[in-house]
């Protein structure tokens, strides 16, 4: 759920056509080797599988489910990026590029999009990819109330004039649609599998195919011999070992038992960066971490109670402690450096006197008690919670930290909204819906804190109909101000980077351009 509540982790500009300029094209990806190339020679394409050409990946968050349309966890998206595919995807310039669609055209009124589909593509079960697979996959999303179902609600009709053509007509202009198609939430399955209620073994068209999963232990995918790009992938096999504990994962890597790890503990970043035997990779931003409060239940149904808690927090101190200075204090849901980021908005500073004023206004002059449920495998969030707990206590706010499993967080906090305060994060995606709509609009797919504001909803809805970046960005600036002043259920804390490490014999660009997922097809073991 680093996508749902996690893992975004933001934007869209231009028009719906294939020549559109990617929303957030200058979104501040301060990556090492951000052009997607590390200068390595192009290897021979993967041949007969052997263990010498099998990547061992030490992963931080276990894969729990493999249904692309219904599973919101970033851990799932990171493997599905290699197994299932969409009609298009984002490239290193933050533009959309063809994938299963060779090209697309948009009508002058931005209501109709016609996709010309790639020929010679087969699914992992050997069936040919056609327009029927596209329409059935999108029907599954629409009819099954999937994560992207709200996007499909904007669709007036879908047609398949022939096997190689798919036509979508919108009810009204809707800027984020194509960019949403570039996420795993709208990946294409076989028409047969798309008619199933749930999917445990996805059949896709990607460079790797699903082999096996042992929940909380291991996930395996192998190269697909009939992949439509004959040169890819280079690896024969990727095995993800689920190692949730940060120190265990790093120790396993240092012992040479895995080739690559993600989510390096921030406190070890400087040591790894100076080690010439290791390729240390830092990408910013990866995700936005926030303190979420339940606006439907006391005490946080009171705006003053929410403000009292926020004024008690030193966000810079929280970020320094949680990320060892590797991050940045957050001011809005817009990715830092993007057009959508408010140019002048500042974070609310710690102020115990103002915290006390708001406690009195909320009817809690002596403070209040609240449970504080934290997903235990996110060490930075556990640390952040401890700092917040200590600060809040100074104004009489007693936060009882309860460390819970990720599965319990998903069921109790996210699904049932049975909580008072919590922490989570979402990925810093390249389109603004990821931050402004999905978690904060009352119709958003990841909405769970209960803060509902019709004026905010209307503003975000209006922004979604606009294609000109210069016209659209100020609406998100206004929305950011609104979130702060009306104190939404998301008290924003910090932006975190992706920190990864690999041994020098593992080369090639493993990150997707926006840092949200991994793409293994062009990586190799030398």
């Amino acid at each position: 759920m680093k996508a749902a509540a996690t893992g975004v982790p933001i934007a869209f500009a231009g028009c719906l056509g294939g020549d559109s300029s990617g929303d957030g094209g200058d979104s501040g990806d301060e990556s090492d080797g951000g052009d997607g190339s590390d200068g390595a020679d192009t290897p021979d394409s993967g041949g007969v599988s052997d263990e010498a050409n099998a990547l061992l990946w030490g992963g931080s968050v276990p894969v729990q489910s493999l249904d692309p349309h219904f599973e919101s966890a970033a851990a799932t998206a990171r493997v599905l990026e290699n197994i299932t595919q969409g009609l298009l995807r984002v490239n290193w310039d933050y533009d959309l590029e063809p994938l299963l669609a060779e090209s697309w055209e948009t009508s002058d009124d931005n209501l109709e999009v016609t996709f010309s589909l790639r020929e010679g593509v087969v699914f992992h079960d050997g069936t040919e990819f056609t327009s029927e697979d596209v329409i059935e996959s999108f029907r599954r999303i629409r009819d099954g109330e999937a994560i992207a179902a709200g996007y499909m609600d904007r669709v007036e009709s879908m047609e398949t004039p022939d096997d190689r053509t798919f036509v979508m007509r919108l009810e009204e202009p809707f800027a984020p649609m194509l960019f949403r198609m570039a996420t795993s939430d709208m990946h294409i399955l076989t028409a047969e599998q798309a008619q199933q209620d749930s999917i445990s073994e996805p059949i896709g068209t990607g460079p790797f195919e699903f082999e096996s999963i042992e929940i909380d232990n291991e996930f395996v995918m192998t190269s697909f011999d009939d992949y439509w790009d004959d040169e890819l992938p280079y690896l024969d096999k990727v095995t993800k070992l689920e190692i949730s504990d940060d120190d265990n994962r790093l120790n396993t890597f240092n012992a040479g038992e895995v080739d690559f790890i993600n989510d390096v503990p921030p406190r070890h970043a400087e040591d790894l960066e100076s080690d010439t035997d290791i390729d240390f990779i830092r990408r910013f931003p990866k995700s936005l971490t926030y303190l979420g409060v339940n606006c439907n239940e006391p005490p946080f149904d009171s705006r003053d109670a929410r403000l009292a808690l926020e004024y008690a927090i030193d966000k810079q101190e929280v970020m320094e402690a949680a990320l060892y200075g590797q991050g940045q204090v957050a001011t809005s849901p817009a990715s830092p450096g993007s057009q959508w980021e408010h140019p002048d908005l500042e974070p609310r500073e710690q102020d115990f006197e103002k915290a006390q004023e708001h406690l009195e206004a909320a009817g809690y002059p002596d403070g209040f008690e609240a449970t504080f449920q934290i997903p235990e495998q996110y060490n930075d969030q556990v640390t952040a919670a401890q700092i917040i707990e200590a600060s809040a206590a100074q104004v009489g706010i007693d936060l009882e930290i309860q460390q819970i499993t990720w599965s319990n967080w998903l069921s109790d906090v996210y699904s049932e909204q049975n909580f008072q305060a919590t922490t989570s994060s979402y990925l810093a995606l390249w389109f603004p819906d990821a931050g402004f709509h999905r978690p904060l609009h009352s119709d958003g797919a990841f909405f769970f804190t209960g803060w509902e504001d019709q004026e905010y909803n209307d503003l975000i809805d209006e922004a979604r109909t606009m294609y000109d970046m210069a016209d659209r960005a100020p609406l998100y600036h206004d929305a950011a101000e609104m979130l702060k002043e009306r104190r939404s259920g998301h008290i924003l804390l910090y932006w975190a980077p992706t920190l990864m490490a690999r041994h020098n014999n593992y080369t090639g660009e493993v990150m997707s351009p926006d840092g949200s997922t991994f793409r293994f097809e062009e990586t190799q073991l030398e």
Side-chain angles (χ1 to χ4, degrees):
M1 253 202 105
K2 275 254 203 202
T6 182
V8 356
I10 287 187
F12 181 104
C15 61
L16 280 173
D19 61 350
S20 120
S21 63
D23 244 357
D26 59 354
S27 67
D29 184 356
E30 300 169 2
S31 62
D32 297 330
D35 62 354
S37 169
D38 62 1
D41 293 335
T42 301
D44 294 333
S45 58
V48 178
S49 178
D50 58 39
E51 291 304 308
N53 201 27
L55 178 73
L56 289 177
W57 164 23
S60 58
V61 181
V63 177
Q64 299 287 334
S65 168
L66 290 165
D67 194 319
H69 302 151
F70 289 92
E71 176 55 59
S72 57
T76 296
R78 285 170 180 161
V79 296
L80 287 177
E81 181 78 6
N82 304 275
I83 295 171
T84 55
Q85 295 181 311
L87 296 181
L88 33 81
R89 69 178 181 180
V90 68
N91 64 21
W92 284 93
D93 294 320
Y94 284 78
D95 294 330
L96 293 174
E97 67 179 14
L99 196 58
L100 291 182
E102 287 186 324
S103 62
W104 63 92
E105 295 181 357
T106 306
S107 61
D108 292 339
D109 59 5
N110 284 318
L111 292 179
E112 188 168 281
V113 190
T114 301
F115 297 89
S116 297
L117 305 182
R118 189 180 298 276
E119 296 188 37
V121 177
V122 295
F123 286 94
H124 299 154
D125 65 355
T127 59
E128 181 184 4
F129 164 67
T130 71
S131 58
E132 187 67 16
D133 303 302
V134 178
I135 198 169
E136 288 298 329
S137 294
F138 289 169
R139 283 171 177 164
R140 182 176 193 261
I141 295 168
R142 179 195 64 195
D143 298 340
E145 298 185 1
I147 293 170
Y151 287 69
M152 296 304 298
D153 288 344
R154 308 298 185 104
V155 177
E156 180 180 288
S157 64
M158 297 184 289
E159 299 176 2
T160 55
D162 56 59
D163 285 350
R164 304 262 69 82
T165 306
F166 172 71
V167 181
M168 173 182 284
R169 184 162 185 83
L170 303 172
E171 293 179 345
E172 61 180 352
F174 186 52
M177 177 59 83
L178 288 188
F179 283 83
R180 186 64 165 180
M181 287 185 182
T183 69
S184 60
D185 300 337
M186 297 188 72
H187 276 185
I188 308 304
L189 303 168
T190 66
E192 180 179 356
Q193 191 166 57
Q195 294 171 13
Q196 299 176 13
D197 292 335
S198 62
I199 293 169
S200 58
E201 299 183 6
I203 300 171
T205 57
F208 293 89
E209 57 184 317
F210 169 80
E211 180 172 293
S212 63
I213 184 172
E214 297 177 33
I215 301 295
D216 295 329
N217 184 35
E218 180 183 276
F219 173 86
V220 182
M221 54 186 172
T222 55
S223 61
F224 178 43
D225 292 339
D226 294 325
Y227 184 52
W228 53 265
D229 187 335
D230 294 337
E231 299 299 317
L232 300 175
Y234 303 139
L235 295 170
D236 293 322
K237 184 178 182 180
V238 176
T239 299
K240 183 189 181 199
L241 302 178
E242 309 290 16
I243 313 174
S244 296
D245 183 81
D246 283 352
D247 290 329
N248 286 345
R249 189 167 60 257
L250 182 59
N251 291 338
T252 301
F253 173 77
N254 286 333
E257 296 174 15
V258 293
D259 305 296
F260 160 70
I261 59 171
N262 65 295
D263 288 347
V264 168
R267 65 185 179 278
H268 295 294
E270 290 187 8
D271 292 338
L272 290 174
E273 196 166 15
S274 62
D275 190 336
T276 57
D277 293 328
I278 291 172
D279 182 14
F280 178 76
I281 304 170
R282 181 183 186 273
R283 287 281 162 71
F284 182 83
K286 177 192 73 171
S287 59
L288 172 59
T289 297
Y290 61 91
L291 194 171
V293 296
N294 191 338
C295 299
N296 288 326
E297 301 290 341
F300 297 116
D301 56 347
S302 165
R303 171 181 175 271
D304 284 299
R306 301 194 296 270
L307 282 169
L309 176 58
E310 185 174 22
Y311 273 119
I313 300 170
D314 184 333
K315 296 177 183 177
Q316 184 69 27
E317 179 187 15
V318 171
M319 186 276 291
E320 293 284 347
L323 300 179
Y324 288 74
Q326 294 287 321
Q328 176 180 315
V329 172
T331 58
S332 90
S335 184
S338 71
Q339 295 91 332
W340 322 112
E341 182 183 30
H342 194 298
D344 303 313
L345 198 64
E346 296 292 334
R348 192 166 269 124
E349 299 288 340
Q350 185 182 57
D351 189 323
F352 290 149
E353 290 186 4
K354 289 185 178 179
Q356 184 60 45
E357 290 174 8
H358 284 288
L359 282 173
E360 294 173 1
Y364 303 104
D366 298 323
F368 55 78
E369 298 178 355
T371 57
F372 198 14
Q373 294 175 293
I374 312 298
E376 62 186 4
Q377 79 273 30
Y378 292 113
N379 291 347
D380 67 302
Q381 294 181 33
V382 172
T383 300
Q386 292 166 346
I387 300 298
I388 292 168
E389 176 195 38
S391 296
Q394 297 190 52
V395 295
I397 299 176
D398 181 9
L399 297 176
E400 179 192 349
I401 293 178
Q402 300 174 351
Q403 294 191 40
I404 59 177
T405 65
W406 183 235
S407 59
N408 284 341
W409 191 97
L410 289 172
S411 60
D412 298 345
V413 176
Y414 176 69
S415 297
E416 300 297 329
Q417 284 92 57
N418 183 20
F419 77 104
Q420 289 180 294
T422 189
T423 59
S424 192
S425 60
Y426 47 81
L427 294 173
L429 300 178
W430 69 98
F431 58 104
D433 263 30
F436 286 95
H437 186 275
R438 289 197 287 180
L440 292 162
H441 190 291
S442 56
D443 291 333
F446 304 149
F447 178 80
F448 75 100
T449 58
W451 179 79
E452 296 194 48
D453 188 291
Q454 192 58 50
E455 187 177 355
Y456 175 85
N457 289 347
D458 291 344
L459 186 65
I460 297 304
D461 287 339
E462 181 183 357
R464 298 173 105 197
T465 67
M466 303 170 68
Y467 291 84
D468 185 271
M469 207 177 303
D471 293 335
R472 194 177 179 205
L475 274 66
Y476 290 112
H477 301 164
D478 291 345
E481 292 179 8
M482 203 176 290
L483 292 170
K484 179 182 177 181
E485 294 308 314
R486 302 183 185 185
R487 192 51 283 143
S488 74
H490 283 53
I491 299 174
L492 306 182
L493 297 176
Y494 53 80
W495 290 99
T498 292
L499 302 177
M500 301 174 289
R502 59 183 176 183
H503 296 294
N504 286 334
N505 67 321
Y506 179 45
T507 61
E509 181 53 67
V510 67
M511 290 299 300
S512 63
D514 71 319
S516 65
T517 61
F518 299 140
R519 294 177 183 172
F520 292 100
E521 72 262 31
E522 294 190 28
T523 66
Q524 62 171 316
L525 285 167
E526 296 176 343

